[in-house]
C-alpha cells in the first residue's frame, strides 16, 4: 500500500492545544483520525457510539489494554497495529467474535503528526483485515517530558455464543496443551531493535489477529477448555495463571516448544528464557486429549497455525505449578517471574 | 467511609516489574486492584469480561476516555473518580443506562502504591454509587520520567432503548438550550490547586454521575434532541459542535448562565471566559420549546440539577455559529478556542 502524503498544515508536531477540545482538537480529528477510520458511527462525533448488535442471543465480551511499547515502530508492526491486535485477541481467545473497538490516545507535546498519521493508518488497516470497526475514541495531550511520544489504550466489544464457556479455571488432568506456533518472536523482535541489530535479517514481530484461528479451534472442538494469548510474561506466565486458576499441574516438554533459530540464538546470547518472552500472534489452547490430534491438524492447516505443536499436558501432580522437562530429561519448575525481563514490550 | 490501612508490603512504590505480567503484577492485582472492585467477573481474571445484557432489545452504547488530570487529587475528587464519572456521563448523555466499565492504568515507575490504593478505592465507590461494575482492566508501567504518576483510561458499555435517538445533529430552530447548573466549577477547582489557593474555602470540582438526571430528562421529554456533558472545552465548545453538526445557530444569554461567585471572581482575576472552562457533573440538554418549562422544573427537583437554567435558544440565523448576548445587550461570537486554556484539566 502506498500511503498518500499528508496534506501540509501549519502544525507538524503535537501541541498542547491538540488536546484542548477546541479548534486544534477538531483539526486533528478531521485531518488525521477520521479519514483513517472513516465509518458513519465514528464520523457522527457523538460522545459515545451507539451500536446494533448482530443477534440478540449470546453474551457480550468486553476487554481493554494499554500499549506503551518502545520503540513505537518495529519490524513487523507498530504500536497502533499492536493495540488493535492485542485487544482483538483478548476477545477472540474468549470465544468472542470481535465487533467494535475504541482507541484512546495519550500524546506527548512535540510528537510528530506524521508519525501519528502513520500509526492511525496502520490501525485502520489492522481493523479492516480483522473485520472490526473502530467506533469511538479520545485524544489527550500531556506536556513534553510527561509522556513518551504516544500511548494507546484500546478497548473492544465482541459477541459470544450462548453455548461457549471457556475459562482458565476449566483445565482438567489429562488435557493437552497446544501452542499455535513459534514462541518469543515479538519480544525478541522488540529487543533486537533496542539493542541494535542482533540479526542480519531483522526478526519480525508475530503481531496478528487470532480470530479465525480461535474460531476454527472452537468449531473443531467445542469442548475446548480455554484459550489464551501468551503476550506479556510469555507462555510461562499464561500457564502459571492457568495452573493456579484450575488448581492443576502443567507439564511442558522443552523439545516440543517451537522456536525460531534467531529467537533461540538471541535468548542464549542474552540469557533469556524464551518461555517468558512476549508473543502477539500466538495462542495456547487446552483441549481434551481425545480431540488433541484433530485440533492440531486443523490449526496446522490455518495460515497462523502452521507450526502448531502439542507442548505439554495437564497433570494431577504438583497443582498450581508448571514444570518443564529438558531435552536431557531433567524436570524443573517454571515460576512466575518476580521482576521485569523486558519492560515496555507491549 | 474510613478506609482500613493498607497491609504493609515490601513495595511502597511502583516498580517496572509491576507491569511485567509476572509475580509483581499478580501481587498488585491481588493486593490493591481486586479488593477494591470485588466482583465475580473481574475476579475471574480472564483476558476479557463475558457479560449478560439485561434485555435483548435495544442497542449498545460504547465510549472511552483517557484521564491525565494534574494534580491527581483535587478538591471534590481525584483522577479515579473523574475517570469513572467521565465515562459514565458520556454513556448517560447518549440516553444509555451505563452497565460496565473497564479501566487501564499507565503507572510511572516510582508512583506511591498508597496513592494508587486511594485512587482505586475512590473509583470503586464511584462505581457503586452509579450502579456500574468495573469488570475488566489492565496495568502497564513506564520508566521514571516517561509518564506522570498515573494516567487512567476508562471505557464503558451501556444499553440504549430502541426508541431513543439523541444526536448533536438533531437541534432545530426554536429549541431551548438548558444547562443543569453552575458552569466552570471543575476547571477552576483544578486551577485553584495549581495556582495556590485562590479562595478561602476551596472550590470543589463538580464531578458527579449524570445518569439519573439524564434519564429523568428523557422521561419528561422523550423528544429531547440531544444531551452533552460540557467537559474539556466547556459549554462554548459543546455548543459549537452542536451548531456545526445540526447546521443551526445557537444564541446564549450571558445573564442566564449560572456561575458560582468564586468561579466568576477567578475568571475575572485570570482573564478566563467561564464558557470555556471544563465541567464534570453538568449536562446541556436541547429540548423543543413546548417542553422546556416542564423539563426545567423536573431538573430543578433533581439533586444534581437544582440550579438548572435555560441559557439560550437554537436559531436559524448564523448557522454553525454560537453567539452570546451580554448583560448590556451587545452580541458577540463565541468561537472554538484554538489554543489550550487549561492543559490537563481531565
Amino acid at each position: 500500500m502506498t500511503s498518500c502524503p499528508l496534506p501540509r498544515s501549519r502544525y507538524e508536531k503535537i501541541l498542547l492545544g491538540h488536546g484542548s477540545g477546541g479548534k486544534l482538537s477538531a483539526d486533528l480529528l478531521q485531518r488525521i483520525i477520521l479519514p483513517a477510520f472513516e465509518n458513519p458511527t465514528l464520523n457522527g462525533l457523538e460522545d459515545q457510539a451507539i451500536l446494533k448488535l448482530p443477534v440478540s442471543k449470546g453474551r457480550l465480551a468486553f476487554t481493554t489494554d494499554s500499549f506503551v511499547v518502545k520503540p513505537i515502530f518495529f519490524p513487523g508492526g507498530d504500536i497502533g497495529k499492536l493495540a488493535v491486535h492485542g485487544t482483538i485477541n483478548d476477545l477472540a481467545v474468549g470465544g468472542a467474535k470481535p465487533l467494535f473497538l475504541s482507541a484512546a490516545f495519550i500524546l506527548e507535546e512535540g510528537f510528530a503528526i506524521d508519525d501519528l498519521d502513520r500509526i492511525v493508518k496502520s490501525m485502520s488497516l489492522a481493523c479492516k483485515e480483522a473485520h472490526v470497526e473502530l467506533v469511538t475514541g479520545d485524544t489527550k495531550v500531556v506536556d513534553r517530558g510527561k509522556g513518551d511520544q504516544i500511548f494507546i489504550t484500546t478497548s473492544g466489544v465482541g459477541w459470544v455464543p450462548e453455548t461457549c464457556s471457556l475459562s482458565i479455571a476449566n483445565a482438567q488432568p489429562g488435557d493437552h496443551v497446544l501452542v499455535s506456533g513459534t514462541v518469543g518472536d515479538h519480544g525478541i523482535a522488540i529487543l533486537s531493535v533496542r539493542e541494535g541489530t542482533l540479526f542480519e535479517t531483522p526478526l519480525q514481530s508475530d503481531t496478528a489477529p487470532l480470530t479465525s484461528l480461535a474460531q476454527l479451534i472452537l468449531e473443531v472442538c467445542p469442548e475446548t477448555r480455554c484459550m489464551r494469548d501468551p503476550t506479556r510474561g510469555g507462555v510461562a506466565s499464561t500457564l502459571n495463571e492457568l495452573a493456579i486458576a484450575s488448581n492443576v499441574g502443567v507439564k511442558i516438554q522443552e523439545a516440543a516448544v517451537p522456536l525460531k533459530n534467531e529467537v533461540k540464538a538471541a535468548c542464549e546470547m542474552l540469557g533469556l528464557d524464551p518461555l517468558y518472552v512476549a508473543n502477539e500472534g500466538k495462542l495456547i489452547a487446552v483441549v481434551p486429549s481425545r480431540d488433541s490430534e484433530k485440533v492440531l491438524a486443523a490449526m496446522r492447516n490455518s495460515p497462523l497455525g502452521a507450526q502448531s505443536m502439542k507442548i505439554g499436558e495437564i497433570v494431577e501432580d504438583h497443582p498450581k505449578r508448571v514444570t518443564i522437562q529438558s531435552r536431557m530429561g531433567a524436570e524443573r519448575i517454571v515460576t512466575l517471574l518476580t521482576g521485569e525481563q523486558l519492560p515496555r514490550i507491549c
Side-chain angles (χ1 to χ4, degrees), chain A:
Chain A
M1 196 187 87
T2 53
S3 71
C4 35
L6 192 65
R8 282 297 110 197
S9 130
R10 289 171 297 168
Y11 311 107
E12 296 187 352
K13 305 262 182 203
I14 290 292
L15 308 175
L16 279 174
H18 282 116
S20 65
K23 210 175 275 180
L24 278 177
S25 293
D27 179 66
L28 191 70
L29 206 57
Q30 296 293 347
R31 201 158 57 84
I32 309 286
I33 315 267
L34 296 186
F37 298 107
E38 199 62 46
N39 67 60
T41 316
L42 190 63
N43 290 352
L45 293 181
E46 304 288 344
D47 278 344
Q48 72 299 117
I50 305 284
L51 307 161
K52 193 129 189 67
L53 292 172
V55 286
S56 61
K57 278 199 169 174
R59 286 157 303 154
L60 190 76
F62 181 31
T63 191
T64 193
D65 262 327
S66 287
F67 294 84
V68 300
V69 65
K70 190 175 184 170
I72 56 174
F73 298 105
F74 49 81
D78 57 72
I79 190 172
K81 190 174 174 185
L82 199 65
V84 170
H85 290 160
T87 287
I88 285 176
N89 291 349
D90 279 346
L91 295 172
V93 297
K97 183 176 155 50
L99 297 172
F100 304 109
L101 291 190
S102 68
F105 299 92
I106 298 176
L107 306 175
E108 185 189 6
E109 185 187 10
F111 183 57
I113 289 188
D114 277 352
D115 285 343
L116 177 63
D117 187 56
R118 194 172 148 198
I119 288 165
V120 296
K121 282 183 176 144
S122 164
M123 293 178 78
S124 165
L125 190 63
C127 284
K128 282 198 187 89
E129 285 173 353
H131 308 289
V132 298
E133 267 191 328
L134 194 144
V135 291
T136 190
D138 182 45
T139 306
K140 292 291 186 329
V141 179
V142 295
D143 23 334
R144 204 181 291 263
K146 297 297 181 186
D148 195 6
Q149 298 185 294
I150 178 170
F151 301 143
I152 306 178
T153 303
T154 45
S155 300
V157 294
W159 201 243
V160 192
E162 280 188 301
T163 49
C164 178
S165 68
L166 301 163
S167 164
I168 51 163
N170 282 350
Q172 292 170 27
D175 290 348
H176 286 188
V177 179
L178 314 178
V179 66
S180 65
T182 56
V183 157
D185 299 6
H186 175 75
I188 299 299
I190 297 293
L191 198 65
S192 74
V193 190
R194 282 197 208 154
E195 302 280 312
T197 318
L198 290 178
F199 323 107
E200 286 191 12
T201 325
L203 178 72
Q204 305 263 317
S205 162
D206 60 345
T207 183
L210 293 167
T211 317
S212 317
L213 188 61
Q215 292 292 323
L216 179 70
I217 292 170
L218 290 176
E219 271 165 40
V220 174
C221 174
E223 290 76 29
T224 297
R225 314 294 191 199
C226 77
M227 295 187 283
R228 275 267 167 141
D229 54 333
T231 56
R232 180 173 57 159
V235 169
S237 304
T238 298
L239 293 180
N240 267 285
E241 288 169 23
L242 178 88
I244 293 165
S246 293
N247 195 27
V248 294
V250 180
K251 206 168 174 173
I252 301 300
Q253 302 297 325
E254 190 177 13
V257 178
L259 271 186
K260 282 203 169 72
N261 286 334
E262 301 96 300
V263 172
K264 193 158 176 280
C267 283
E268 280 169 7
M269 194 189 317
L270 301 165
L272 297 173
D273 183 339
L275 284 181
Y276 293 97
V277 180
N279 311 277
E280 294 288 346
K282 299 291 158 29
L283 63 76
I284 287 176
V286 178
V287 298
S289 59
R290 62 176 180 280
D291 296 322
S292 173
E293 277 307 318
K294 190 171 65 175
V295 175
L296 255 188
M299 288 170 77
R300 286 177 179 159
N301 270 328
S302 173
L304 284 177
Q307 290 175 276
S308 296
M309 288 289 285
K310 176 198 158 194
I311 60 167
E313 295 188 8
I314 305 297
V315 295
E316 259 182 284
D317 295 352
H318 55 77
K320 299 188 200 287
R321 280 196 188 280
V322 180
T323 62
I324 188 162
Q325 193 164 32
S326 75
R327 284 180 176 81
M328 316 294 285
E331 198 164 353
R332 63 179 170 85
I333 293 173
V334 179
T335 57
L336 270 178
L337 285 192
T338 301
E340 172 61 294
Q341 208 186 36
L342 299 169
R344 298 185 59 184
I345 210 70
C346 60

